[in-house]
Amino acid sequence: MDLEFTEEQQMIKDMARSILDEHSSVDAVRELEDDPRGFSDALWKQLGESGLLGLTLPAEYGGGGQSLLEAALVYEEMGRTLASVPHFVSAVIGGGILAEAGSDAQKAEWLPKIASGESIFTIAWLEPERGYGPVGVQLEARSDGDAFVLSGTKQHVYFGGAADQLLVLARTDAGVDVFLVDAKADGVSMRQILSQAGDAQYRVTFESVKVGAGDRVGAAGTGWDSLSKVMHDGIVLLASQAIGGAQQALDITGEYMKVRTQFDKPLAAFQSLAHYMADASTNIEGGRMIVLEAAWTRAQGRSIERLAPMAKLFCCDTYTEVTRTCEQLWGGVGFTLEYDVQLYFRRAKQLELSWWDTPYLEELVAADVLD
Amino acid sequence: MDFDFSPEEQAFADEVEQWLVDNHDPVVMDPTRENFTQLADTPERRAFMKKLAAQGWLGMSWPKEYGGQEIEGVYEYILNEALAKHAAPQIGKGVGIIGKTLIRHGSDYLKKEFLPKILNADIEFAVGYSEPQAGSDAANMQLKAEKKGDGWVLNGQKIWTTSAHFADWYWVGARTDPDAPKHSGISLFLVPMNDPGLEIVSLPTIGKDTTNQVFFNDVYVPDTQMVGEQGKGFQYISEALDLERFTMFTLSPSTERARVLIEWAKEAKRDGKPIKDDPNVRRLIARIVTDQAVAKGLSVRFVCAARKGGKPPTIESSQYKLFATQLSQRVCQDALDIQGAAGQIREGQDEGPIRGRFEGAYRATVVETIGGGSSEVQKNIIARRYLGFPKNF
């Protein structure tokens, strides 16, 4: 047992930190809130050039070939800096599904572009009034000779306005399939929906959108399995992102508590307040450990069927709980837009509700344990 | 990064596991004692400790010149977690705080007298730090030690001495200099438990074990039974906690309890329907196994910090203890909620679910967030050392 990073891992973490510190300052994050595009080209370019964008994609397709552990270190930094960037939807989910299930031709065409940042992918998954499971995928993909015709509505399509390619989850006779759809294709329309976190998410409507049989990713009826597999990796990264955000919220709150005085002493000297922070720090450290264990376990080629949902469940819970506590500790100023703690508070809840929410994750764990 | 034991460590863990299976003794290894089988006053337990000694598993981390193997502390961690998992008595305070303190500070006489007996499991200790006015404020102990000839006369009272009614020797802190600042007026003594001046009064608890008050009535202790230097007792007590990096509060008992709960929940029915299909039960179980995994992670963290040597892993062990003990209680609480009305049936009766295991465990685990540094003490430590906050009490 040891928890030391290799020199290379430390280098990757440091590189992510310095790029994000430069391009994702709190001012930059505020600037991007509600922006239709939702990210800055400068940061996107840096992520592509540094290799952080394609970090976990296969080396033969221009990726870095690194494991989930290296990626988790990068995601903790993204969480710390509240980085607004389509890394997750494009490289982790989009690139992940292509690498997992795509044909050689699809991989050769798209993965190098995803890794460099030239192409931006996103996923059109959730539907209005439907849930996170496979049954929630009801957008129709009607078979029409060699082609498919897609009709229906998706929402929570992150960075939809900037994406070139959409991976659309749709229902076919075979079950759930994933289709590759050009974002500019005839019949695709979208509009931005504002969210609690001020990110760039879209409601996308498909009106008889025609796609070829060659645009299906993977064999017929395997779409859900591909997504589920990639999601198990992805949620470990989001758990790491949550820990990064929670740690930063804790750190800025701790510093504030040392200088803010009431009744002639700093808030940090009030035991009741200090104990909230001690609990928060303990949960953050525990969350970081389960992230590292999940990422390391995956890097060893072992199953993270149970560890991955546990990691996102615990870490997102911690992020929301810690930021609620921090709001309380900042007092009135924390309620204003001017102070930064609210940025973490809003994103924490959004992250918890996104990409498999608490009840869904609990059921994944329960099913693995009880059934 | 590596979450696995090394091949050597794993081989040892496997060896201990197999040995515990082969040497299973239902009297000694009673899971319903909830992590306190080391407090059983039975000949069977004493015999079991002798067997552990014969395996060479007592004092593994001690220096070779005192009969140890100078082996890494992580092996004692592995051993204790395995013992705790099987509800066997753990290696405990003799080879831990007492042995290690004697090795560092004891006179040749005390070393010769006690160390071999500790390694052979020939001797049982009770530890006396707490007093009615010295709980979390441990340095506030008032047990009076007055100089008389070549020794000391002890008068006063200790409390929460769990092993007092069967131990052979009492490892006890007393105030030798009432005028010195509170941390530096304390000395450590070894007192034979059968001294006629000691009066032991049992205090039954809501858990499985009784604890004791111990009254000192003119107990004479010769100078030779003072440990180390006069006035350094509190320093030794604190140092011993740092030396005991690997054998603190064990996680296995609560992991085992969660396992027992899950096995039960998989089979149990209510109104003819499987309990495990109740969404609320599924939710609670998911939370329990998740938090168990987090507690495991925090234990890996303190073990790794301890292995690095240097600074004691104070923050890591405080965060682990805080989280793991609260979780241990929550498992019992959730178990009773899942069991509903039948959960109240007193332990030991067939009518209760799992013979009332969680009814008993709910009571027994109360002490976990109190003893060994209460949750609030841990939070104060974390606030000062991790967050860099000022002293707040």
Side-chain angles (χ1 to χ4, degrees):
Chain A
M1 284 197 296
D2 90 85
L3 296 173
E4 303 290 314
F5 298 131
T6 63
E7 214 168 290
E8 194 187 4
Q9 286 163 348
Q10 192 58 51
M11 228 176 61
I12 290 170
K13 189 175 166 63
D14 291 346
M15 181 166 69
R17 175 171 274 256
S18 92
I19 289 174
L20 289 161
D21 276 344
E22 187 185 342
H23 293 286
S24 188
S25 65
V26 173
D27 287 344
V29 167
R30 285 174 174 272
E31 189 83 5
L32 286 168
E33 289 214 338
D34 297 347
D35 181 79
R37 198 168 155 76
F39 66 100
S40 81
D41 290 324
L43 174 55
W44 192 242
K45 192 159 165 271
Q46 274 290 301
L47 291 176
E49 283 172 2
S50 63
L52 291 180
L53 189 45
L55 192 68
T56 55
L57 293 175
E60 54 183 310
Y61 295 112
Q66 297 287 346
S67 80
L68 202 59
L69 185 51
E70 285 75 25
L73 303 182
V74 174
Y75 267 75
E76 185 169 343
E77 292 301 323
M78 300 222 283
R80 182 180 63 83
T81 54
L82 302 177
S84 177
V85 70
H87 189 292
F88 188 73
V89 286
S90 191
V92 176
I93 298 294
I97 288 177
L98 284 181
E100 170 68 26
S103 66
D104 288 347
Q106 286 168 336
K107 287 194 255 194
E109 182 177 2
W110 296 112
L111 288 179
K113 290 181 186 166
I114 291 176
S116 69
E118 189 187 333
S119 285
I120 296 175
F121 272 57
T122 189
I123 183 163
W125 167 7
L126 291 178
E127 299 175 17
E129 292 169 49
R130 297 193 192 282
Y132 271 113
V135 70
V137 178
Q138 294 296 336
L139 182 135
E140 182 194 39
R142 185 169 46 83
S143 173
D144 181 14
D146 266 358
F148 289 90
V149 180
L150 309 186
S151 300
T153 304
K154 295 287 186 182
Q155 64 182 18
H156 308 297
V157 180
Y158 300 93
F159 297 99
D164 317 305
Q165 298 291 325
L166 311 172
L167 287 177
V168 183
L169 269 82
R171 188 153 292 273
T172 62
D173 296 339
V176 174
D177 276 312
V178 179
F179 292 96
L180 186 56
V181 180
D182 191 303
K184 305 277 182 295
D186 283 345
V188 175
S189 59
M190 54 177 85
R191 66 184 166 90
Q192 187 174 4
I193 307 281
L194 298 181
S195 84
Q196 185 169 46
D199 60 3
Q201 56 174 274
Y202 287 78
R203 184 165 175 137
V204 183
T205 307
F206 296 81
E207 281 178 285
S208 302
V209 177
K210 252 195 153 149
V211 291
D215 293 322
R216 176 158 57 195
V217 182
T222 60
W224 184 261
D225 289 347
S226 307
L227 174 74
S228 180
K229 188 145 193 247
V230 171
M231 273 294 286
H232 275 79
D233 289 354
I235 56 178
V236 173
L237 300 183
L238 297 182
S240 191
Q241 183 179 326
I243 290 304
Q247 181 79 61
Q248 182 67 9
L250 182 92
D251 289 349
I252 62 171
T253 304
E255 290 313 307
Y256 177 68
M257 290 172 72
K258 289 177 195 168
V259 295
R260 164 75 176 167
T261 58
Q262 285 287 275
F263 305 104
D264 302 321
K265 60 179 187 174
L267 299 189
F270 289 85
Q271 196 172 53
S272 67
L273 309 187
H275 282 193
Y276 290 143
M277 292 288 280
D279 282 330
S281 75
T282 300
N283 288 339
I284 290 171
E285 291 296 345
R288 186 176 281 118
M289 289 307 301
I290 194 167
V291 165
L292 290 173
E293 184 170 4
W296 176 84
T297 301
R298 178 72 170 91
Q300 300 303 301
R302 302 180 200 163
S303 165
I304 52 170
E305 195 72 28
R306 190 184 298 184
L307 266 174
M310 292 197 304
K312 183 174 187 281
L313 178 63
F314 186 85
C315 294
C316 282
D317 200 35
T318 294
Y319 195 7
T320 52
E321 197 177 305
V322 167
T323 51
R324 282 194 298 268
T325 299
C326 290
E327 281 287 345
Q328 182 69 20
L329 290 165
W330 283 82
V333 298
F335 193 55
T336 68
L337 282 175
E338 184 188 346
Y339 283 73
D340 292 336
V341 65
Q342 52 92 7
L343 298 172
Y344 302 88
F345 172 78
R346 287 184 289 119
R347 280 163 182 75
K349 192 64 193 176
Q350 190 227 16
L351 190 57
E352 186 183 37
L353 296 173
S354 303
W355 306 108
W356 287 346
D357 58 6
T358 295
Y360 193 81
L361 293 166
E362 285 172 345
E363 177 51 32
L364 282 182
V365 177
D368 195 52
V369 173
L370 289 169
D371 298 339
Chain B
M1 181 141 314
D2 191 348
F3 280 80
D4 287 340
F5 289 127
S6 71
E8 297 77 26
E9 291 157 4
Q10 190 56 51
F12 178 68
D14 294 343
E15 180 193 347
V16 174
E17 179 69 24
Q18 189 57 50
W19 188 87
L20 285 164
V21 170
D22 294 343
N23 288 273
H24 181 75
D25 178 341
V27 176
V28 178
M29 304 180 194
D30 176 2
T32 70
R33 292 186 72 98
E34 310 300 350
N35 207 12
F36 291 107
T37 44
Q38 54 274 11
L39 296 183
D41 178 20
T42 61
E44 289 88 351
R45 184 189 55 82
R46 287 196 182 229
F48 180 84
M49 296 312 289
K50 295 287 284 182
K51 274 163 106 177
L52 281 186
Q55 286 295 109
W57 289 345
L58 296 184
M60 288 189 293
S61 64
W62 285 15
K64 284 185 176 151
E65 62 170 310
Y66 298 111
Q69 303 169 39
E70 291 182 21
I71 208 165
E72 256 204 287
V74 69
Y75 285 89
E76 289 182 339
Y77 163 79
I78 292 169
L79 175 63
N80 247 12
E81 284 291 352
L83 291 167
K85 179 187 161 203
H86 288 266
Q90 292 157 45
I91 56 177
K93 48 204 178 239
V95 294
I97 55 174
I98 293 164
K100 286 176 184 174
T101 303
L102 287 177
I103 287 168
R104 285 168 79 95
H105 303 292
S107 63
D108 288 344
Y109 161 74
L110 289 179
K111 286 180 191 165
K112 243 181 251 156
E113 184 63 26
F114 288 98
L115 295 181
K117 289 181 187 159
I118 292 172
L119 285 183
N120 289 328
D122 287 335
I123 191 170
E124 306 268 357
F125 291 94
V127 170
Y129 299 154
S130 295
E131 296 178 13
Q133 297 308 318
S136 289
D137 187 5
N140 195 40
M141 52 181 83
Q142 305 294 333
L143 179 75
K144 199 162 57 174
E146 289 169 302
K147 190 75 192 141
K148 186 179 178 192
D150 294 335
W152 298 81
V153 177
L154 275 51
N155 277 292
Q157 181 194 351
K158 291 286 171 186
I159 197 167
W160 318 132
T161 306
T162 44
S163 314
H165 53 297
F166 63 85
D168 309 301
W169 284 85
Y170 205 5
W171 175 263
V172 73
R175 192 157 294 280
T176 42
D177 184 351
D179 301 323
K182 84 177 174 184
H183 290 82
S184 48
I186 294 167
S187 304
L188 270 178
F189 295 94
L190 273 159
V191 182
M193 211 74 230
N194 61 6
D195 189 290
L198 286 178
E199 184 192 351
I200 297 162
V201 177
S202 165
L203 274 175
T205 70
I206 57 171
K208 310 303 166 67
D209 297 285
T210 182
T211 186
N212 303 285
Q213 304 184 76
V214 181
F215 295 91
F216 288 69
N217 303 308
D218 290 330
V219 174
Y220 179 78
V221 186
D223 286 337
T224 50
Q225 277 163 221
M226 179 187 279
V227 178
E229 289 177 46
Q230 184 183 330
K232 294 211 167 157
F234 199 76
Q235 181 194 316
Y236 299 154
I237 291 170
S238 311
E239 187 186 286
L241 295 177
D242 286 345
L243 293 171
E244 273 307 277
R245 294 174 179 200
F246 291 95
T247 53
M248 48 179 311
F249 178 83
T250 48
L251 185 61
S252 310
S254 103
T255 311
E256 278 299 291
R257 256 178 245 129
R259 188 186 61 74
V260 166
L261 173 65
I262 289 164
E263 290 311 308
W264 173 82
K266 280 178 169 177
E267 304 298 330
K269 293 198 162 140
R270 180 171 301 141
D271 298 330
K273 284 181 275 192
I275 271 192
K276 78 178 179 72
D277 292 343
D278 178 336
N280 189 44
V281 171
R282 298 178 75 76
R283 186 180 170 273
L284 288 173
I285 299 269
R287 289 283 173 170
I288 287 171
V289 293
T290 298
D291 288 357
Q292 287 286 351
V294 171
K296 172 82 194 312
L298 287 170
S299 81
V300 168
R301 181 165 166 265
F302 96 73
V303 170
C304 287
R307 295 185 83 156
K308 277 170 76 175
K311 223 165 42 122
T314 312
I315 295 165
E316 290 85 353
S317 58
S318 286
Q319 291 181 326
Y320 163 70
K321 205 252 174 191
L322 175 65
F323 190 92
T325 53
Q326 288 177 347
L327 170 60
S328 173
Q329 293 176 350
R330 204 163 63 246
V331 171
C332 301
Q333 185 183 324
D334 289 346
L336 292 185
D337 286 340
I338 290 171
Q339 293 173 343
Q344 71 190 291
I345 295 173
R346 175 88 56 85
E347 180 163 34
Q349 303 172 89
D350 290 336
E351 291 80 359
I354 329 174
R355 301 197 82 238
R357 173 76 190 273
F358 284 95
E359 184 283 316
Y362 181 73
R363 292 182 275 112
T365 51
V366 165
V367 76
E368 291 180 2
T369 53
I370 299 169
S374 69
S375 291
E376 291 68 28
V377 167
Q378 307 302 338
K379 289 184 200 185
N380 285 343
I381 291 169
I382 296 163
R384 290 181 75 178
R385 303 212 192 179
Y386 180 100
L387 298 162
F389 284 3
K391 189 170 176 177
N392 57 25
F393 55 92

